[in-house]
Amino acid sequence: MDGKGTRERKRELRRRYKEVRGALGKDGRARRDAAIADGVTRLPEYLAADTVLTYLSVGDEVDTRSLVRDAWAQGKSVALPWCVPGTRRMRWFLVSSLDGLVRSSFGVEEPVPDPAREVNPKAGPRALAIVPGLSFDERGYRMGYGGGFYDVFLAEFSGASVGLCREPQMSPVGALALDEHDVPIDVVVTEERVIRPLR
């Protein structure tokens, strides 16, 4: 598939999975998200992590706020991303509260960049990244939102990466329109199962 064909395929897939996500309803999403969060907190990678790098869910995304609260309760550090304007890069900053965040142009709540609270995600293997996506497949590939931020991040990240996905949003293997720069994640957690892609 050429570049234009891949872009059109991705656009169509994003539209479809947003419809699937919306059709689950608020209560249906909340029930599934609670089970997903429970699955994440049982992962050996989560239990061993001293730092959790996570997106802060917005709208119909799989909820991450309960995971943030659990990580704090377990004595883990939590870092949220700040998207560097004009680039596809993210910088990560420790947060001890969800107060004082600033809404970005993408509609996402971000930490205020403070060099004293910045963490280097490449500094050690005991970091766990919670990765957003509209859809994942059983090989660990994801359909993101088109910004490319997590593709850049995952290419450099040395810790464990975990994708959160509701079962109706899972893609059959081979259905996602992939680019050469797409990086698979290590674990996909749904409300029904933990998927560890074979490498």
Side-chain angles (χ1 to χ4, degrees):
M1 188 178 292
D2 61 21
K4 183 178 180 182
T6 299
R7 286 194 299 273
E8 290 175 353
R9 174 73 175 147
K10 286 190 174 187
R11 190 159 45 243
E12 169 61 21
L13 285 169
R14 288 189 182 103
R15 183 194 63 76
R16 183 192 308 170
Y17 281 115
K18 284 179 179 178
E19 288 181 357
V20 169
R21 185 175 69 178
L24 296 174
K26 184 176 181 180
D27 290 343
R29 288 191 298 270
R31 283 193 300 273
R32 293 172 189 271
D33 293 0
I36 291 170
D38 184 63
V40 172
T41 61
R42 296 170 187 267
L43 293 175
E45 294 90 344
Y46 177 85
L47 295 171
D50 51 24
T51 303
V52 176
L53 310 172
T54 182
Y55 68 99
L56 195 59
S57 52
V58 62
D60 296 343
E61 289 184 318
V62 175
D63 177 62
T64 58
R65 284 167 170 77
S66 65
L67 287 171
V68 169
R69 290 190 291 270
D70 183 85
W72 283 332
Q74 301 301 323
K76 302 178 188 297
S77 298
V78 175
L80 298 178
W82 177 73
C83 296
V84 181
T87 76
R88 292 187 171 185
R89 303 194 71 81
M90 296 183 294
R91 292 168 61 189
W92 295 85
F93 296 90
L94 295 172
V95 293
S96 54
S97 167
L98 296 182
D99 298 328
L101 302 177
V102 177
R103 194 168 298 279
S104 74
S105 59
F106 298 107
V108 177
E109 289 182 290
E110 295 183 331
V112 175
D114 177 357
R117 299 188 65 79
E118 188 167 7
V119 297
N120 179 0
K122 295 184 286 186
R126 293 190 62 196
L128 178 87
I130 306 293
V131 181
L134 269 169
S135 180
F136 292 82
D137 70 15
E138 292 184 359
R139 295 183 301 170
Y141 287 104
R142 56 184 283 275
M143 166 64 61
Y145 299 96
F149 289 95
Y150 276 88
D151 294 319
V152 173
F153 166 71
L154 288 170
E156 301 176 344
F157 183 58
S158 60
S161 54
V162 179
L164 313 183
C165 191
R166 305 177 188 107
E167 279 290 339
Q169 292 172 237
M170 287 292 293
S171 283
V173 170
L176 296 178
L178 301 176
D179 292 319
E180 64 277 358
H181 58 73
D182 288 331
V183 178
I185 57 162
D186 299 314
V187 187
V188 181
V189 179
T190 79
E191 66 274 26
E192 297 178 6
R193 54 189 171 143
V194 172
I195 303 162
R196 296 182 177 277
L198 297 175
R199 295 286 182 255

